[in-house]
Amino acid sequence: MFGMTKKQFLKKSKNCLKDTGIQLLLVRKIIYQEQNGKIGYREAYQKLDKIRENMENIFFKYEDLKPPSKCSSLHIEILNTLIVLQETLVANSEYLTLSEKGLKPEALRELEKSQEQLENFRKKFQEVGQKVDVYLQ
């Protein structure tokens, strides 16, 4: 049986990025609410856990793709980008855990770390999204 074509792979990549973009917006909203005290620790943790589950599903579904050999580097680049968002979720969960325990200085460091990782993810996400768009043309 033949593998997928370049165009099929790029369309699936585009869909993966679209699904990830939705999760990104949800993460940004939660972090904004955390910074402004508009969300409790439990509620934020539950929402982040749901996003983490969604990201795992997106990641594993995309990881299982069998791209054409000329698209392998793009496949790996997208997977690495998804990992950065997962790391952001972990850092933000750490922030919530430390905040709930009353460890303010440590919690603030984790919040900063999650914000930096989120910004790093946004840059990588934008770059890889542009690559997929260019290749699809």
Side-chain angles (χ1 to χ4, degrees), residues 43 68 87:
E43 184 182 357
E87 290 171 348

Side-chain angles (χ1 to χ4, degrees), residues 11 26 34 37 65 68 81 90 92 111 116 122 124 129:
K11 284 183 179 183
L26 294 172
E34 289 170 351
L65 293 180
T81 302
V90 169
N92 201 270
L111 180 60
E116 288 171 10
R122 284 177 8 101
K124 288 183 177 198

Side-chain angles (χ1 to χ4, degrees), residues 24-26 34 39 56 70 80 84 86-87 132 134:
L24 169 62
L25 293 174
L26 294 172
E34 289 170 351
I39 191 169
E56 283 180 5
K70 57 188 165 201
N80 286 333
V84 173
Q86 290 172 329
E87 290 171 348
V132 170
V134 166

Side-chain angles (χ1 to χ4, degrees), residues 12-57:
K12 289 193 181 279
S13 296
K14 182 78 172 170
N15 287 335
C16 171
L17 294 173
K18 185 181 103 188
D19 293 343
T20 302
I22 294 167
Q23 301 306 308
L24 169 62
L25 293 174
L26 294 172
V27 171
R28 290 182 66 198
K29 180 179 177 182
I30 292 170
I31 291 176
Y32 174 79
Q33 290 173 332
E34 289 170 351
Q35 289 172 327
N36 294 307
K38 295 182 179 185
I39 191 169
Y41 299 129
R42 296 275 178 209
E43 184 182 357
Y45 191 82
Q46 289 172 342
K47 287 182 177 184
L48 283 173
D49 195 46
K50 182 64 178 164
I51 293 169
R52 184 192 52 75
E53 288 176 20
N54 292 343
M55 284 307 304
E56 283 180 5
N57 290 335

